[in-house]
């Protein structure tokens, strides 16, 4: 699905702003049939949960309603009129006046509707959007809903971040010609000093297609005709981590010499490859430094905010980070576009977080149900997961910053049924995009001895919390177990390995001369311990700290106003650990630190079982 852009043949109207807002009301069964009777207004984009003081809204489980009036520009006569929502978390229903024009399940990918037959140029229409925050065993991410004794509906979910909901990204109205470009796919390669750009154009009607590549100055550097083909860019400037360079692919549909539709897609020329135990970008080994992040800020929740976008990337640069993972869902497209322009590398992750009932069992003390079964996560869950993969890859396939797809975070990859669940999804992802490596983030329950899916993937991404959830405050023992664990993965699978999560909750201002958990000094010591281990493992290709910034979670006695593992506070103030990372990362420039292959003293550590976890990450 092409992102709406204003072009020679297309116009764009942004519908962000204050909308009328109400939660569902049994006395108003069809709220889209008239004006919402409410005094509340909600900003779009934002999550609605933290906007109001009424706990009934914050704790609401079910549908909420947004509404506004929209005028179609009068100059759009003869054009197709399209309504697009960048996301509706987690399900959306869209009404134009009294007509349902779109319905979409999945809270982090866009959807749209052609409303040409329901509106008139120059006239107004009533736009009503329903959004549901409900999660079930057949949604991605999953959850469950229960009813209390007094009749209140409660949402339970298996991920450790707050279930923010609403219209957290932009809403658009745009025009396109009757005969139009519907999709573009770009795949790049390099032969010597020549950039090779394979392209494919899908159009609504069969007609002549002209394609032109423009450099950063707007000069034409290659051209071709046809809906499929290859462009050669001589003396190509590559898109590099930390040194972004973007070209524009201008695609035009022609009727004779007349341009009937035009669309411009930015792209970068670069290659990505896993070779042995190395991750290569443009043929050179790349070492990931950075974070798992969240779309999470005070008041806005998951609402996209360009001010935070710019500031967060400034902090990434200040810390010496060259990459991040979109944990645990696709981020707003503006984030990836900014990464494209700024040379930040992205591991793009699906919203498949929580496919692990073992974690729930560890928290509650109740024996867990099997994660993969007809009664738990089943073929319907798998189908929803597959659809999410299709939508993610369709949206993000042309971003040069995206170098790897992450299929899931912390699934029960150690349980029976995991391979049957994931193998078809891995095959689908490779069919959709054979050019990028695949990974998933392995939970601590999954070890090199019991994991059932690691061989299906290209890169091993490991989440480990030795020194926090296990061996809390005992970093010497944690170091032994961590090294034995990581070396076991390398020896078992022979693949590149990176740490996709490691971190310790830290209260800013808490200090100690000892290794006291929750203190700023302990967070620094914890990171130093991990880094010593990383530097001793030759196959190690990167480190993503959990987390970039503190973020909101659900209620729980193991959380103090959210997850405090951030290197920055929720309002982006640095903790001491931020300076520790900056000192380490600023000199690396994407290169691996010098490896020291000295074996750990206790050889038995390599086969010790992972101790039972007492909590979630």
């Amino acid at each position: 699905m092409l992102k709406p852009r204003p072009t020679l043949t297309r116009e764009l109207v942004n519908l962000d702003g204050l909308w009328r807002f109400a939660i569902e009301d049994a006395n108003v069964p069809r709220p889209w049939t008239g004006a919402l009777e409410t005094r509340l207004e909600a900003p779009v984009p934002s999550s609605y949960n933290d906007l109001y003081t009424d706990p009934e809204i914050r704790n609401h489980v079910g549908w909420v309603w947004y509404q506004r009036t929209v005028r179609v520009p009068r100059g759009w006569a003869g054009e197709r009129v399209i309504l697009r929502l960048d996301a509706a978390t987690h399900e959306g229903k869209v009404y134009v006046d009294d007509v349902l024009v779109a319905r979409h399940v999945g809270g982090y990918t866009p959807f749209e509707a052609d409303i040409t037959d329901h509106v008139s140029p120059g006239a107004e229409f009533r736009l009503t959007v329903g959004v549901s925050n409900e999660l079930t065993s057949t949604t991605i991410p999953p959850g469950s809903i229960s009813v209390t004794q007094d009749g209140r509906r409660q949402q339970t979910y298996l991920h450790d971040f707050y279930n923010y909901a609403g219209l957290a990204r932009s809403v658009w109205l745009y025009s396109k010609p009757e005969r139009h470009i519907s999709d573009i796919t770009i795949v790049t390669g390099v032969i010597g000093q020549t950039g090779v750009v394979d392209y494919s154009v899908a159009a609504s009607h069969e007609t002549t297609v002209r394609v032109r590549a423009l450099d950063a100055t707007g000069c034409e550097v290659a051209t071709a005709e046809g809906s499929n083909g290859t462009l050669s860019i001589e003396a190509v400037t590559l898109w590099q981590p930390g040194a972004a360079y973007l070209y524009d692919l201008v695609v035009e549909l022609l009727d004779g010499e007349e341009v009937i539709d035009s669309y411009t897609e930015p792209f970068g020329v670069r290659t990505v490859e896993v070779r042995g135990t190395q991750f290569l970008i443009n043929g050179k080994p790349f070492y990931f430094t950075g974070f798992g992040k969240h779309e999470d800020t005070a008041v806005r929740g998951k609402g996209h905010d360009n001010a935070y976008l710019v500031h967060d990337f400034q902090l990434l640069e200040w810390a010496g980070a060259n990459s991040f993972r979109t944990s645990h869902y696709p981020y707003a497209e503006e984030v990836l576009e900014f990464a494209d322009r700024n040379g930040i590398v992205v591991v793009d992750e699906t919203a498949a977080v929580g496919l692990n009932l073992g974690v729930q069992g560890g928290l509650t003390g109740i024996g867990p149900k099997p994660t993969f079964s007809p009664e738990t996560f089943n073929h319907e869950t798998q189908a929803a997961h597959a659809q999410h993969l299709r939508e993610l890859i369709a949206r993000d396939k042309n971003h040069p910053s995206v170098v790897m797809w992450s299929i899931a975070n912390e699934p029960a990859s150690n349980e029976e049924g995991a391979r049957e669940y994931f193998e078809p999804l891995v095959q689908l992802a490779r069919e959709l995009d054979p050019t990028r490596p695949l990974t998933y983030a392995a939970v601590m329950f999954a070890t090199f001895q019991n994991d059932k899916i690691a061989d299906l993937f290209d890169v091993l991404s490991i989440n480990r919390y030795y020194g926090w959830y296990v061996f809390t405050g005992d970093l010497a023992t944690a170091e032994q177990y961590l090294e034995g664990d990581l070396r076991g993965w390398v020896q078992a699978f022979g693949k590149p390995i990176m740490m996709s999560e490691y971190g310790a909750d830290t209260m800013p201002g808490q200090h100690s001369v000892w290794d006291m958990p929750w203190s700023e000094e302990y967070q620094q010591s914890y990171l130093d311990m991990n880094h010593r281990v990383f530097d001793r493992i030759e196959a190690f290709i990167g480190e993503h700290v959990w987390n970039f910034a503190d973020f909101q979670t659900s209620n729980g006695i193991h959380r103090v106003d959210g997850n405090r593992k951030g290197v920055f506070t929720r309002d982006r103030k640095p903790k001491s650990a931020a300076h520790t990372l900056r000192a380490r990362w600023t000199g690396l420039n994407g290169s691996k630190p010098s490896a020291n292959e000295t074996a750990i003293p206790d050889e038995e550590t390599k086969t010790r079982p992972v101790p039972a976890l007492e909590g979630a990450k």
Side-chain angles (χ1 to χ4, degrees):
M1 181 185 295
L2 295 175
K3 180 180 173 63
R5 305 185 197 280
T7 73
L8 176 68
T9 58
R10 299 175 177 225
E11 294 184 356
L12 184 62
V13 175
N14 181 262
L15 300 182
D16 293 352
L18 291 173
W19 295 44
R20 293 187 293 277
F21 177 83
I23 62 175
E24 63 183 340
D25 184 343
N27 297 318
V28 187
R30 294 163 57 85
W32 57 88
T33 59
L36 281 182
E37 295 184 3
T38 178
R39 65 180 184 85
L40 297 178
E41 295 179 274
V44 176
S46 76
S47 304
Y48 63 80
N49 308 81
D50 292 351
L51 298 177
Y52 311 102
T53 57
D54 185 351
E56 184 179 0
I57 298 175
R58 179 175 174 80
N59 299 327
H60 176 71
V61 178
W63 292 92
V64 300
W65 296 94
Y66 294 79
Q67 190 179 83
R68 62 162 291 170
T69 300
V70 179
R71 184 179 296 278
V72 181
R74 64 179 182 176
W76 288 10
E79 301 290 298
R80 306 306 299 180
V81 180
I82 313 298
L83 183 67
R84 173 187 164 114
L85 289 82
D86 285 348
T89 308
H90 294 279
E91 180 179 357
K93 295 191 292 188
V94 183
Y95 294 85
V96 170
D97 293 326
D98 296 350
V99 179
L100 177 66
V101 296
R103 186 164 188 168
H104 179 263
V105 178
Y108 302 101
T109 46
F111 62 105
E112 62 184 28
D114 187 325
I115 62 172
T116 309
D117 296 337
H118 305 290
V119 298
S120 300
E124 291 184 338
F125 66 90
R126 184 177 63 255
L127 173 60
T128 308
V129 179
V131 183
S132 172
N133 63 353
E134 295 185 10
L135 298 172
T136 70
S137 63
T138 59
T139 62
I140 297 295
S144 61
I145 297 172
S146 60
V147 180
T148 64
Q149 290 184 344
D150 59 0
R152 290 176 293 113
R153 302 175 78 236
Q154 290 187 330
Q155 175 78 70
T156 301
Y157 46 95
L158 302 171
H159 53 268
D160 186 30
F161 55 94
Y162 191 81
N163 189 39
Y164 283 114
L167 295 178
R169 298 176 188 166
S170 290
V171 181
W172 307 89
L173 192 71
Y174 73 95
S175 70
K176 61 184 178 183
E178 185 71 31
R179 292 182 287 174
H180 55 265
I181 301 157
S182 54
D183 196 21
I184 300 169
T185 301
I186 301 170
V187 177
T188 65
V190 181
I191 300 176
Q193 300 299 312
T194 301
V196 179
V197 183
D198 295 328
Y199 70 88
S200 177
V201 178
S204 62
H205 297 73
E206 187 173 340
T207 186
T208 302
V209 177
R210 181 171 65 195
V211 174
R212 296 180 293 130
L214 310 181
D215 67 14
T217 69
C219 294
E220 184 178 294
V221 293
T223 185
E225 287 196 0
S227 57
N228 297 276
T230 300
L231 297 172
S232 295
I233 303 177
E234 303 297 332
V236 68
T237 301
L238 298 180
W239 187 95
Q240 302 270 21
Y245 188 95
L246 295 178
Y247 293 87
D248 280 334
L249 190 72
V250 181
V251 180
E252 297 167 320
L253 298 188
L254 304 177
D255 185 352
E257 293 299 315
E258 179 187 1
V259 176
I260 56 177
D261 192 21
S262 176
Y263 188 89
T264 298
E265 179 80 337
F267 70 96
V269 179
R270 61 104 181 95
T271 62
V272 176
E273 178 188 1
V274 169
R275 187 186 305 162
T277 58
Q278 291 183 320
F279 192 97
L280 307 178
I281 298 179
N282 298 326
K284 298 178 181 179
F286 179 75
Y287 189 82
F288 293 83
T289 58
F291 302 92
K293 289 181 91 275
H294 266 300
E295 291 183 313
D296 175 278
T297 56
V299 182
R300 301 169 185 80
K302 291 196 177 306
H304 177 70
D305 185 293
N306 283 327
Y308 270 98
L309 170 66
V310 171
H311 188 57
D312 282 0
F313 272 72
Q314 283 287 298
L315 293 178
L316 290 175
E317 181 180 351
W318 175 87
N322 60 25
S323 56
F324 63 87
R325 176 169 60 124
T326 70
S327 43
H328 300 296
Y329 38 83
Y331 290 178
E333 287 171 275
E334 290 85 353
V335 177
L336 298 183
E337 291 171 334
F338 204 80
D340 290 343
R341 296 194 298 271
N342 287 274
I344 297 294
V345 170
V346 178
V347 179
D348 206 356
E349 187 162 271
T350 74
V353 53
L355 294 173
N356 196 325
L357 295 179
V359 173
Q360 182 185 47
L363 285 171
T364 63
I366 301 171
K369 298 177 181 178
T371 297
F372 305 102
S373 74
E375 293 75 31
T376 53
F377 302 138
N378 53 33
H379 68 280
E380 292 183 71
T381 317
Q382 186 187 56
H385 197 159
Q387 182 59 28
H388 183 85
L389 264 176
R390 293 186 188 95
E391 294 181 6
L392 169 66
I393 293 175
R395 193 196 73 166
D396 294 346
K397 61 188 174 182
N398 293 335
H399 288 286
S401 59
V402 175
V403 301
M404 186 158 52
W405 305 113
S406 177
I407 300 297
N409 179 72
E410 296 193 344
S413 57
N414 56 304
E415 290 189 28
E416 294 299 325
R419 193 173 187 92
E420 291 78 5
Y421 181 93
F422 278 100
E423 192 163 15
L425 296 175
V426 170
Q427 181 179 352
L428 173 64
R430 295 199 188 281
E431 291 171 355
L432 294 170
D433 180 11
T435 70
R436 288 179 175 88
L438 301 179
T439 192
Y440 70 103
V443 69
M444 281 195 76
F445 301 126
T447 71
F448 62 90
Q449 296 159 314
N450 66 18
D451 191 278
K452 301 181 185 304
I453 65 174
D455 62 295
L456 300 174
F457 293 83
D458 303 297
V459 172
L460 303 176
S461 297
I462 310 297
N463 294 358
R464 291 295 184 265
Y465 291 91
Y466 294 110
W468 186 248
Y469 291 122
V470 288
F471 309 121
T472 310
D474 183 359
L475 293 178
T477 302
E479 185 167 352
Q480 288 189 342
Y481 270 85
L482 175 62
E483 184 163 355
D485 191 349
L486 296 182
R487 287 188 182 278
W489 286 92
V490 173
Q491 292 167 6
F493 297 101
K495 297 175 182 286
I497 185 171
M498 67 180 292
M499 192 71 97
S500 41
E501 290 185 20
Y502 62 112
D505 282 278
T506 304
M507 291 297 292
Q510 182 73 28
H511 295 287
S512 176
V513 296
W514 302 290
D515 277 340
M516 180 180 291
W518 291 91
S519 69
E520 293 194 43
E521 288 78 12
Y522 186 78
Q523 189 180 35
Q524 291 177 292
S525 297
Y526 172 94
L527 294 175
D528 287 340
M529 178 275 289
N530 277 266
H531 297 156
R532 288 194 298 271
V533 174
F534 301 165
D535 293 352
R536 293 196 291 261
I537 298 176
E538 185 64 31
F540 210 79
I541 64 163
E543 52 201 62
H544 278 174
V545 174
W546 190 257
N547 190 284
F548 172 74
D550 295 343
F551 58 92
Q552 192 56 260
T553 63
S554 58
N555 296 330
I557 59 173
H558 62 297
R559 296 288 177 236
V560 183
D561 191 26
N563 192 304
R564 297 290 190 151
K565 293 187 182 69
V567 169
F568 298 93
T569 62
R570 200 179 188 203
D571 61 352
R572 280 35 177 192
K573 300 297 190 297
K575 301 177 187 178
S576 298
H579 297 276
T580 296
L581 292 173
R582 186 170 190 254
R584 173 176 171 83
W585 288 347
T586 50
L588 295 182
N589 294 321
S591 299
K592 180 175 170 48
S594 298
N596 179 355
E597 283 295 292
T598 302
I600 54 179
D602 186 355
E603 290 295 322
E604 294 180 0
T605 303
K606 297 180 182 179
T607 57
R608 288 177 184 172
V610 177
L613 288 176
E614 297 178 356
K617 67 179 178 137

